[in-house]
Amino acid sequence: IADLLAKESDFFSIGTNDLSQYIMAAERGDKSIDHLLDPMQPALLRAIKLTVDAAHRNNIEVSVCGEMAGDPEFAKVLLGLGVDCLSMNASMIGVVKRMGRQSSSPQMRMAADAALMAAVSDTIKD
């Protein structure tokens, strides 16, 4: 219901660790199902994209926190999805900023588009 919430909110903040757990119905502490909590899981990425689109249609920003935001590979996809702000561990800021400087907006959108179109996360890990 991001489209409805966006009309009432000043911003959205997405916690990717919890969101992936809820979307995939997989407990984070259970090692036997760790593969379900892959940050590049298309179901997770599509949920983020739907949220970003709803937010932007209503002129509000979307921030993302969680392990995804602090990983340059994943941060590139998040920015390509249109996420406005990334919250991460201070030790990762330089690494993610470097990726952002080395990647153009079209490159980030292409990475995000490829991730969204993947049927399974393994197909987007190159």
Side-chain angles (χ1 to χ4, degrees), residues 60-112:
I60 63 173
E61 291 188 352
V62 178
S63 64
V64 168
C65 65
E67 293 175 33
M68 281 183 77
D71 182 300
E73 175 188 359
F74 304 144
K76 184 177 195 174
V77 171
L78 290 170
L79 294 171
L81 292 173
V83 169
D84 301 295
C85 179
L86 301 173
S87 176
M88 67 198 73
N89 185 305
S91 66
M92 296 308 297
I93 293 172
V95 177
V96 172
K97 280 179 88 171
R98 194 171 317 112
M99 174 283 301
R101 288 186 186 123
Q102 294 172 348
S103 301
S104 67
S105 291
Q107 287 172 321
M108 289 188 250
R109 280 193 299 275
M110 285 176 47

mmCIF file of all heavy atoms in Angstrom, residues 60-112:
data_model
loop_
_atom_site.group_PDB
_atom_site.id
_atom_site.type_symbol
_atom_site.label_atom_id
_atom_site.label_comp_id
_atom_site.label_asym_id
_atom_site.label_seq_id
_atom_site.Cartn_x
_atom_site.Cartn_y
_atom_site.Cartn_z
ATOM 1 N N ILE A 60 7.921 12.463 -2.326
ATOM 2 C CA ILE A 60 8.617 12.185 -1.080
ATOM 3 C C ILE A 60 9.847 11.336 -1.377
ATOM 4 O O ILE A 60 9.915 10.641 -2.395
ATOM 5 C CB ILE A 60 7.711 11.516 -0.018
ATOM 6 C CG1 ILE A 60 7.218 10.139 -0.474
ATOM 7 C CG2 ILE A 60 6.538 12.421 0.335
ATOM 8 C CD1 ILE A 60 6.473 9.376 0.617
ATOM 9 N N GLU A 61 10.824 11.425 -0.491
ATOM 10 C CA GLU A 61 12.087 10.700 -0.657
ATOM 11 C C GLU A 61 12.030 9.318 -0.017
ATOM 12 O O GLU A 61 11.244 9.085 0.900
ATOM 13 C CB GLU A 61 13.231 11.487 -0.037
ATOM 14 C CG GLU A 61 13.546 12.759 -0.794
ATOM 15 C CD GLU A 61 14.815 13.421 -0.286
ATOM 16 O OE1 GLU A 61 15.387 12.990 0.748
ATOM 17 O OE2 GLU A 61 15.232 14.387 -0.938
ATOM 18 N N VAL A 62 12.918 8.464 -0.511
ATOM 19 C CA VAL A 62 13.057 7.112 0.020
ATOM 20 C C VAL A 62 14.501 6.908 0.450
ATOM 21 O O VAL A 62 15.424 7.132 -0.343
ATOM 22 C CB VAL A 62 12.686 6.045 -1.036
ATOM 23 C CG1 VAL A 62 12.880 4.642 -0.475
ATOM 24 C CG2 VAL A 62 11.271 6.240 -1.538
ATOM 25 N N SER A 63 14.680 6.496 1.687
ATOM 26 C CA SER A 63 16.011 6.128 2.155
ATOM 27 C C SER A 63 16.012 4.627 2.434
ATOM 28 O O SER A 63 14.975 4.031 2.703
ATOM 29 C CB SER A 63 16.404 6.915 3.407
ATOM 30 O OG SER A 63 15.551 6.612 4.475
ATOM 31 N N VAL A 64 17.202 4.043 2.338
ATOM 32 C CA VAL A 64 17.359 2.617 2.594
ATOM 33 C C VAL A 64 18.492 2.431 3.588
ATOM 34 O O VAL A 64 19.568 3.017 3.442
ATOM 35 C CB VAL A 64 17.668 1.830 1.295
ATOM 36 C CG1 VAL A 64 18.112 0.405 1.600
ATOM 37 C CG2 VAL A 64 16.460 1.810 0.381
ATOM 38 N N CYS A 65 18.230 1.626 4.597
ATOM 39 C CA CYS A 65 19.281 1.220 5.516
ATOM 40 C C CYS A 65 19.343 -0.298 5.494
ATOM 41 O O CYS A 65 18.432 -0.960 5.016
ATOM 42 C CB CYS A 65 19.018 1.740 6.924
ATOM 43 S SG CYS A 65 17.552 1.038 7.707
ATOM 44 N N GLY A 66 20.421 -0.819 6.001
ATOM 45 C CA GLY A 66 20.610 -2.261 6.001
ATOM 46 C C GLY A 66 21.891 -2.614 5.278
ATOM 47 O O GLY A 66 22.577 -1.756 4.724
ATOM 48 N N GLU A 67 22.201 -3.872 5.284
ATOM 49 C CA GLU A 67 23.448 -4.327 4.683
ATOM 50 C C GLU A 67 23.541 -3.996 3.199
ATOM 51 O O GLU A 67 24.623 -3.744 2.676
ATOM 52 C CB GLU A 67 23.613 -5.825 4.908
ATOM 53 C CG GLU A 67 23.822 -6.169 6.373
ATOM 54 C CD GLU A 67 23.867 -7.651 6.630
ATOM 55 O OE1 GLU A 67 24.339 -8.407 5.765
ATOM 56 O OE2 GLU A 67 23.422 -8.055 7.720
ATOM 57 N N MET A 68 22.424 -3.970 2.510
ATOM 58 C CA MET A 68 22.433 -3.645 1.079
ATOM 59 C C MET A 68 23.002 -2.259 0.823
ATOM 60 O O MET A 68 23.753 -2.064 -0.131
ATOM 61 C CB MET A 68 21.018 -3.682 0.494
ATOM 62 C CG MET A 68 20.492 -5.043 0.186
ATOM 63 S SD MET A 68 18.859 -4.932 -0.581
ATOM 64 C CE MET A 68 19.298 -4.465 -2.249
ATOM 65 N N ALA A 69 22.636 -1.296 1.636
ATOM 66 C CA ALA A 69 23.044 0.086 1.415
ATOM 67 C C ALA A 69 24.553 0.258 1.519
ATOM 68 O O ALA A 69 25.128 1.116 0.851
ATOM 69 C CB ALA A 69 22.343 1.004 2.406
ATOM 70 N N GLY A 70 25.208 -0.552 2.332
ATOM 71 C CA GLY A 70 26.636 -0.428 2.540
ATOM 72 C C GLY A 70 27.493 -1.298 1.653
ATOM 73 O O GLY A 70 28.709 -1.341 1.808
ATOM 74 N N ASP A 71 26.902 -1.982 0.709
ATOM 75 C CA ASP A 71 27.648 -2.827 -0.224
ATOM 76 C C ASP A 71 27.608 -2.156 -1.588
ATOM 77 O O ASP A 71 26.523 -1.931 -2.130
ATOM 78 C CB ASP A 71 27.004 -4.211 -0.290
ATOM 79 C CG ASP A 71 27.759 -5.157 -1.196
ATOM 80 O OD1 ASP A 71 27.884 -4.852 -2.410
ATOM 81 O OD2 ASP A 71 28.205 -6.202 -0.707
ATOM 82 N N PRO A 72 28.773 -1.825 -2.172
ATOM 83 C CA PRO A 72 28.776 -1.081 -3.437
ATOM 84 C C PRO A 72 27.968 -1.735 -4.564
ATOM 85 O O PRO A 72 27.276 -1.047 -5.303
ATOM 86 C CB PRO A 72 30.255 -1.003 -3.810
ATOM 87 C CG PRO A 72 30.996 -1.252 -2.558
ATOM 88 C CD PRO A 72 30.109 -2.099 -1.684
ATOM 89 N N GLU A 73 28.036 -3.052 -4.674
ATOM 90 C CA GLU A 73 27.285 -3.757 -5.722
ATOM 91 C C GLU A 73 25.782 -3.547 -5.538
ATOM 92 O O GLU A 73 25.053 -3.241 -6.478
ATOM 93 C CB GLU A 73 27.620 -5.246 -5.691
ATOM 94 C CG GLU A 73 26.803 -6.086 -6.665
ATOM 95 C CD GLU A 73 27.010 -7.586 -6.472
ATOM 96 O OE1 GLU A 73 27.796 -8.003 -5.614
ATOM 97 O OE2 GLU A 73 26.345 -8.347 -7.202
ATOM 98 N N PHE A 74 25.327 -3.713 -4.318
ATOM 99 C CA PHE A 74 23.905 -3.578 -4.034
ATOM 100 C C PHE A 74 23.476 -2.110 -4.037
ATOM 101 O O PHE A 74 22.378 -1.779 -4.477
ATOM 102 C CB PHE A 74 23.560 -4.231 -2.699
ATOM 103 C CG PHE A 74 23.957 -5.676 -2.611
ATOM 104 C CD1 PHE A 74 24.410 -6.199 -1.412
ATOM 105 C CD2 PHE A 74 23.892 -6.523 -3.703
ATOM 106 C CE1 PHE A 74 24.774 -7.537 -1.306
ATOM 107 C CE2 PHE A 74 24.258 -7.849 -3.621
ATOM 108 C CZ PHE A 74 24.704 -8.366 -2.417
ATOM 109 N N ALA A 75 24.345 -1.236 -3.533
ATOM 110 C CA ALA A 75 24.038 0.200 -3.509
ATOM 111 C C ALA A 75 23.837 0.723 -4.931
ATOM 112 O O ALA A 75 22.960 1.562 -5.174
ATOM 113 C CB ALA A 75 25.149 0.969 -2.807
ATOM 114 N N LYS A 76 24.613 0.220 -5.866
ATOM 115 C CA LYS A 76 24.474 0.622 -7.271
ATOM 116 C C LYS A 76 23.074 0.295 -7.777
ATOM 117 O O LYS A 76 22.431 1.110 -8.446
ATOM 118 C CB LYS A 76 25.532 -0.095 -8.119
ATOM 119 C CG LYS A 76 25.555 0.297 -9.563
ATOM 120 C CD LYS A 76 26.699 -0.452 -10.261
ATOM 121 C CE LYS A 76 27.021 0.151 -11.589
ATOM 122 N NZ LYS A 76 28.214 -0.471 -12.192
ATOM 123 N N VAL A 77 22.588 -0.876 -7.457
ATOM 124 C CA VAL A 77 21.248 -1.283 -7.869
ATOM 125 C C VAL A 77 20.194 -0.429 -7.160
ATOM 126 O O VAL A 77 19.236 0.037 -7.784
ATOM 127 C CB VAL A 77 21.020 -2.795 -7.607
ATOM 128 C CG1 VAL A 77 19.567 -3.175 -7.820
ATOM 129 C CG2 VAL A 77 21.929 -3.624 -8.523
ATOM 130 N N LEU A 78 20.374 -0.189 -5.873
ATOM 131 C CA LEU A 78 19.410 0.630 -5.133
ATOM 132 C C LEU A 78 19.313 2.037 -5.723
ATOM 133 O O LEU A 78 18.211 2.563 -5.910
ATOM 134 C CB LEU A 78 19.802 0.712 -3.651
ATOM 135 C CG LEU A 78 19.630 -0.574 -2.845
ATOM 136 C CD1 LEU A 78 20.284 -0.434 -1.475
ATOM 137 C CD2 LEU A 78 18.160 -0.939 -2.721
ATOM 138 N N LEU A 79 20.446 2.627 -6.030
ATOM 139 C CA LEU A 79 20.430 3.957 -6.646
ATOM 140 C C LEU A 79 19.787 3.905 -8.021
ATOM 141 O O LEU A 79 19.053 4.815 -8.412
ATOM 142 C CB LEU A 79 21.841 4.533 -6.702
ATOM 143 C CG LEU A 79 22.463 4.837 -5.330
ATOM 144 C CD1 LEU A 79 23.941 5.188 -5.482
ATOM 145 C CD2 LEU A 79 21.692 5.941 -4.624
ATOM 146 N N GLY A 80 20.038 2.829 -8.749
ATOM 147 C CA GLY A 80 19.407 2.650 -10.055
ATOM 148 C C GLY A 80 17.900 2.475 -9.961
ATOM 149 O O GLY A 80 17.172 2.810 -10.898
ATOM 150 N N LEU A 81 17.425 1.971 -8.829
ATOM 151 C CA LEU A 81 15.984 1.832 -8.600
ATOM 152 C C LEU A 81 15.350 3.172 -8.244
ATOM 153 O O LEU A 81 14.131 3.290 -8.209
ATOM 154 C CB LEU A 81 15.712 0.828 -7.480
ATOM 155 C CG LEU A 81 16.050 -0.632 -7.766
ATOM 156 C CD1 LEU A 81 15.888 -1.477 -6.501
ATOM 157 C CD2 LEU A 81 15.189 -1.182 -8.893
ATOM 158 N N GLY A 82 16.187 4.167 -7.955
ATOM 159 C CA GLY A 82 15.682 5.494 -7.635
ATOM 160 C C GLY A 82 15.720 5.860 -6.170
ATOM 161 O O GLY A 82 15.195 6.909 -5.778
ATOM 162 N N VAL A 83 16.332 5.018 -5.338
ATOM 163 C CA VAL A 83 16.457 5.331 -3.915
ATOM 164 C C VAL A 83 17.229 6.642 -3.779
ATOM 165 O O VAL A 83 18.227 6.871 -4.463
ATOM 166 C CB VAL A 83 17.157 4.167 -3.165
ATOM 167 C CG1 VAL A 83 17.548 4.566 -1.765
ATOM 168 C CG2 VAL A 83 16.262 2.940 -3.158
ATOM 169 N N ASP A 84 16.755 7.505 -2.893
ATOM 170 C CA ASP A 84 17.330 8.840 -2.743
ATOM 171 C C ASP A 84 18.481 8.917 -1.751
ATOM 172 O O ASP A 84 19.369 9.751 -1.887
ATOM 173 C CB ASP A 84 16.234 9.820 -2.293
ATOM 174 C CG ASP A 84 15.087 9.876 -3.274
ATOM 175 O OD1 ASP A 84 15.310 10.313 -4.413
ATOM 176 O OD2 ASP A 84 13.965 9.454 -2.905
ATOM 177 N N CYS A 85 18.469 8.066 -0.734
ATOM 178 C CA CYS A 85 19.448 8.172 0.344
ATOM 179 C C CYS A 85 19.799 6.778 0.843
ATOM 180 O O CYS A 85 18.914 5.934 0.985
ATOM 181 C CB CYS A 85 18.847 9.019 1.467
ATOM 182 S SG CYS A 85 19.915 9.239 2.885
ATOM 183 N N LEU A 86 21.081 6.557 1.106
ATOM 184 C CA LEU A 86 21.544 5.282 1.643
ATOM 185 C C LEU A 86 22.136 5.511 3.033
ATOM 186 O O LEU A 86 22.943 6.418 3.219
ATOM 187 C CB LEU A 86 22.618 4.674 0.737
ATOM 188 C CG LEU A 86 22.205 4.395 -0.703
ATOM 189 C CD1 LEU A 86 23.416 3.952 -1.521
ATOM 190 C CD2 LEU A 86 21.109 3.351 -0.761
ATOM 191 N N SER A 87 21.740 4.685 3.977
ATOM 192 C CA SER A 87 22.258 4.762 5.334
ATOM 193 C C SER A 87 23.096 3.513 5.572
ATOM 194 O O SER A 87 22.610 2.398 5.380
ATOM 195 C CB SER A 87 21.099 4.834 6.326
ATOM 196 O OG SER A 87 21.580 4.811 7.648
ATOM 197 N N MET A 88 24.343 3.705 6.001
ATOM 198 C CA MET A 88 25.258 2.566 6.127
ATOM 199 C C MET A 88 26.233 2.769 7.269
ATOM 200 O O MET A 88 26.359 3.885 7.799
ATOM 201 C CB MET A 88 26.024 2.365 4.829
ATOM 202 C CG MET A 88 26.982 3.501 4.509
ATOM 203 S SD MET A 88 27.504 3.546 2.797
ATOM 204 C CE MET A 88 26.031 4.128 2.002
ATOM 205 N N ASN A 89 26.949 1.729 7.594
ATOM 206 C CA ASN A 89 28.029 1.792 8.561
ATOM 207 C C ASN A 89 29.059 2.801 8.057
ATOM 208 O O ASN A 89 29.397 2.816 6.873
ATOM 209 C CB ASN A 89 28.651 0.399 8.708
ATOM 210 C CG ASN A 89 29.694 0.336 9.774
ATOM 211 O OD1 ASN A 89 30.656 1.094 9.785
ATOM 212 N ND2 ASN A 89 29.515 -0.600 10.693
ATOM 213 N N ALA A 90 29.580 3.627 8.949
ATOM 214 C CA ALA A 90 30.517 4.683 8.565
ATOM 215 C C ALA A 90 31.734 4.147 7.808
ATOM 216 O O ALA A 90 32.265 4.826 6.913
ATOM 217 C CB ALA A 90 30.972 5.460 9.794
ATOM 218 N N SER A 91 32.153 2.939 8.101
ATOM 219 C CA SER A 91 33.332 2.376 7.433
ATOM 220 C C SER A 91 33.101 2.110 5.949
ATOM 221 O O SER A 91 34.061 1.945 5.196
ATOM 222 C CB SER A 91 33.768 1.088 8.134
ATOM 223 O OG SER A 91 32.782 0.084 7.980
ATOM 224 N N MET A 92 31.854 2.073 5.513
ATOM 225 C CA MET A 92 31.549 1.774 4.104
ATOM 226 C C MET A 92 31.268 3.025 3.269
ATOM 227 O O MET A 92 31.148 2.935 2.053
ATOM 228 C CB MET A 92 30.349 0.825 4.029
ATOM 229 C CG MET A 92 30.608 -0.532 4.635
ATOM 230 S SD MET A 92 32.100 -1.343 3.989
ATOM 231 C CE MET A 92 31.670 -1.548 2.274
ATOM 232 N N ILE A 93 31.180 4.177 3.885
ATOM 233 C CA ILE A 93 30.823 5.391 3.156
ATOM 234 C C ILE A 93 31.786 5.667 2.003
ATOM 235 O O ILE A 93 31.358 5.918 0.877
ATOM 236 C CB ILE A 93 30.734 6.605 4.115
ATOM 237 C CG1 ILE A 93 29.552 6.421 5.057
ATOM 238 C CG2 ILE A 93 30.606 7.904 3.327
ATOM 239 C CD1 ILE A 93 29.484 7.459 6.170
ATOM 240 N N GLY A 94 33.081 5.605 2.254
ATOM 241 C CA GLY A 94 34.071 5.882 1.204
ATOM 242 C C GLY A 94 33.971 4.920 0.037
ATOM 243 O O GLY A 94 34.046 5.329 -1.126
ATOM 244 N N VAL A 95 33.784 3.656 0.329
ATOM 245 C CA VAL A 95 33.700 2.630 -0.720
ATOM 246 C C VAL A 95 32.458 2.861 -1.582
ATOM 247 O O VAL A 95 32.523 2.813 -2.815
ATOM 248 C CB VAL A 95 33.664 1.212 -0.094
ATOM 249 C CG1 VAL A 95 33.514 0.149 -1.154
ATOM 250 C CG2 VAL A 95 34.901 0.974 0.743
ATOM 251 N N VAL A 96 31.341 3.139 -0.958
ATOM 252 C CA VAL A 96 30.097 3.349 -1.704
ATOM 253 C C VAL A 96 30.158 4.671 -2.475
ATOM 254 O O VAL A 96 29.717 4.745 -3.627
ATOM 255 C CB VAL A 96 28.867 3.280 -0.767
ATOM 256 C CG1 VAL A 96 27.596 3.678 -1.495
ATOM 257 C CG2 VAL A 96 28.733 1.866 -0.204
ATOM 258 N N LYS A 97 30.743 5.704 -1.877
ATOM 259 C CA LYS A 97 30.891 6.980 -2.591
ATOM 260 C C LYS A 97 31.762 6.809 -3.840
ATOM 261 O O LYS A 97 31.458 7.360 -4.897
ATOM 262 C CB LYS A 97 31.504 8.043 -1.675
ATOM 263 C CG LYS A 97 30.508 8.670 -0.735
ATOM 264 C CD LYS A 97 31.157 9.679 0.155
ATOM 265 C CE LYS A 97 31.182 11.035 -0.495
ATOM 266 N NZ LYS A 97 31.618 12.086 0.440
ATOM 267 N N ARG A 98 32.832 6.030 -3.717
ATOM 268 C CA ARG A 98 33.713 5.768 -4.856
ATOM 269 C C ARG A 98 32.929 5.092 -5.985
ATOM 270 O O ARG A 98 33.043 5.458 -7.147
ATOM 271 C CB ARG A 98 34.896 4.916 -4.418
ATOM 272 C CG ARG A 98 36.020 4.856 -5.423
ATOM 273 C CD ARG A 98 37.291 4.181 -4.879
ATOM 274 N NE ARG A 98 37.625 4.598 -3.526
ATOM 275 C CZ ARG A 98 37.564 3.807 -2.439
ATOM 276 N NH1 ARG A 98 37.185 2.548 -2.547
ATOM 277 N NH2 ARG A 98 37.867 4.253 -1.240
ATOM 278 N N MET A 99 32.113 4.108 -5.631
ATOM 279 C CA MET A 99 31.289 3.434 -6.644
ATOM 280 C C MET A 99 30.369 4.448 -7.304
ATOM 281 O O MET A 99 30.222 4.455 -8.519
ATOM 282 C CB MET A 99 30.472 2.312 -5.995
ATOM 283 C CG MET A 99 29.469 1.622 -6.921
ATOM 284 S SD MET A 99 27.918 2.514 -7.276
ATOM 285 C CE MET A 99 27.226 2.718 -5.656
ATOM 286 N N GLY A 100 29.761 5.316 -6.504
ATOM 287 C CA GLY A 100 28.844 6.306 -7.050
ATOM 288 C C GLY A 100 29.516 7.270 -8.004
ATOM 289 O O GLY A 100 28.930 7.661 -9.015
ATOM 290 N N ARG A 101 30.743 7.615 -7.721
ATOM 291 C CA ARG A 101 31.494 8.524 -8.600
ATOM 292 C C ARG A 101 31.926 7.838 -9.887
ATOM 293 O O ARG A 101 32.089 8.480 -10.912
ATOM 294 C CB ARG A 101 32.709 9.070 -7.870
ATOM 295 C CG ARG A 101 32.354 10.067 -6.802
ATOM 296 C CD ARG A 101 33.609 10.681 -6.203
ATOM 297 N NE ARG A 101 33.265 11.526 -5.084
ATOM 298 C CZ ARG A 101 33.734 11.379 -3.855
ATOM 299 N NH1 ARG A 101 34.596 10.418 -3.584
ATOM 300 N NH2 ARG A 101 33.354 12.188 -2.898
ATOM 301 N N GLN A 102 32.151 6.542 -9.813
ATOM 302 C CA GLN A 102 32.633 5.792 -10.974
ATOM 303 C C GLN A 102 31.507 5.276 -11.858
ATOM 304 O O GLN A 102 31.752 4.782 -12.949
ATOM 305 C CB GLN A 102 33.509 4.621 -10.523
ATOM 306 C CG GLN A 102 34.785 5.055 -9.860
ATOM 307 C CD GLN A 102 35.557 3.902 -9.248
ATOM 308 O OE1 GLN A 102 35.045 2.788 -9.111
ATOM 309 N NE2 GLN A 102 36.794 4.162 -8.856
ATOM 310 N N SER A 103 30.283 5.377 -11.400
ATOM 311 C CA SER A 103 29.130 4.874 -12.156
ATOM 312 C C SER A 103 28.237 6.033 -12.565
ATOM 313 O O SER A 103 27.981 6.935 -11.771
ATOM 314 C CB SER A 103 28.309 3.906 -11.296
ATOM 315 O OG SER A 103 29.089 2.822 -10.868
ATOM 316 N N SER A 104 27.769 5.993 -13.783
ATOM 317 C CA SER A 104 26.828 7.012 -14.238
ATOM 318 C C SER A 104 25.409 6.597 -13.868
ATOM 319 O O SER A 104 25.142 5.429 -13.588
ATOM 320 C CB SER A 104 26.937 7.184 -15.755
ATOM 321 O OG SER A 104 26.488 6.012 -16.410
ATOM 322 N N SER A 105 24.514 7.560 -13.889
ATOM 323 C CA SER A 105 23.101 7.246 -13.620
ATOM 324 C C SER A 105 22.568 6.204 -14.590
ATOM 325 O O SER A 105 21.883 5.264 -14.166
ATOM 326 C CB SER A 105 22.252 8.515 -13.672
ATOM 327 O OG SER A 105 22.575 9.341 -12.587
ATOM 328 N N PRO A 106 22.874 6.323 -15.902
ATOM 329 C CA PRO A 106 22.396 5.282 -16.821
ATOM 330 C C PRO A 106 22.961 3.888 -16.496
ATOM 331 O O PRO A 106 22.243 2.897 -16.612
ATOM 332 C CB PRO A 106 22.871 5.758 -18.194
ATOM 333 C CG PRO A 106 22.977 7.244 -18.060
ATOM 334 C CD PRO A 106 23.444 7.463 -16.641
ATOM 335 N N GLN A 107 24.218 3.821 -16.055
ATOM 336 C CA GLN A 107 24.788 2.523 -15.682
ATOM 337 C C GLN A 107 24.059 1.928 -14.476
ATOM 338 O O GLN A 107 23.797 0.728 -14.432
ATOM 339 C CB GLN A 107 26.279 2.671 -15.344
ATOM 340 C CG GLN A 107 27.164 2.906 -16.539
ATOM 341 C CD GLN A 107 28.588 3.225 -16.103
ATOM 342 O OE1 GLN A 107 28.823 3.929 -15.127
ATOM 343 N NE2 GLN A 107 29.545 2.703 -16.866
ATOM 344 N N MET A 108 23.744 2.781 -13.516
ATOM 345 C CA MET A 108 23.036 2.301 -12.329
ATOM 346 C C MET A 108 21.620 1.856 -12.689
ATOM 347 O O MET A 108 21.140 0.839 -12.193
ATOM 348 C CB MET A 108 23.012 3.382 -11.250
ATOM 349 C CG MET A 108 24.367 3.605 -10.624
ATOM 350 S SD MET A 108 24.294 4.710 -9.208
ATOM 351 C CE MET A 108 25.110 6.150 -9.878
ATOM 352 N N ARG A 109 20.963 2.604 -13.577
ATOM 353 C CA ARG A 109 19.610 2.200 -13.999
ATOM 354 C C ARG A 109 19.657 0.886 -14.770
ATOM 355 O O ARG A 109 18.772 0.037 -14.624
ATOM 356 C CB ARG A 109 18.963 3.303 -14.831
ATOM 357 C CG ARG A 109 18.390 4.421 -13.970
ATOM 358 C CD ARG A 109 17.494 5.346 -14.755
ATOM 359 N NE ARG A 109 18.156 6.032 -15.850
ATOM 360 C CZ ARG A 109 18.859 7.177 -15.727
ATOM 361 N NH1 ARG A 109 18.966 7.752 -14.554
ATOM 362 N NH2 ARG A 109 19.417 7.723 -16.780
ATOM 363 N N MET A 110 20.692 0.702 -15.599
ATOM 364 C CA MET A 110 20.830 -0.559 -16.343
ATOM 365 C C MET A 110 21.023 -1.727 -15.383
ATOM 366 O O MET A 110 20.445 -2.800 -15.569
ATOM 367 C CB MET A 110 21.978 -0.470 -17.341
ATOM 368 C CG MET A 110 21.653 0.360 -18.567
ATOM 369 S SD MET A 110 23.029 0.593 -19.715
ATOM 370 C CE MET A 110 23.688 -1.032 -19.882
ATOM 371 N N ALA A 111 21.841 -1.534 -14.344
ATOM 372 C CA ALA A 111 22.053 -2.595 -13.347
ATOM 373 C C ALA A 111 20.747 -2.919 -12.639
ATOM 374 O O ALA A 111 20.420 -4.085 -12.415
ATOM 375 C CB ALA A 111 23.125 -2.167 -12.345
ATOM 376 N N ALA A 112 19.996 -1.883 -12.306
ATOM 377 C CA ALA A 112 18.710 -2.097 -11.634
ATOM 378 C C ALA A 112 17.721 -2.782 -12.559
ATOM 379 O O ALA A 112 17.014 -3.710 -12.140
ATOM 380 C CB ALA A 112 18.144 -0.765 -11.154
#
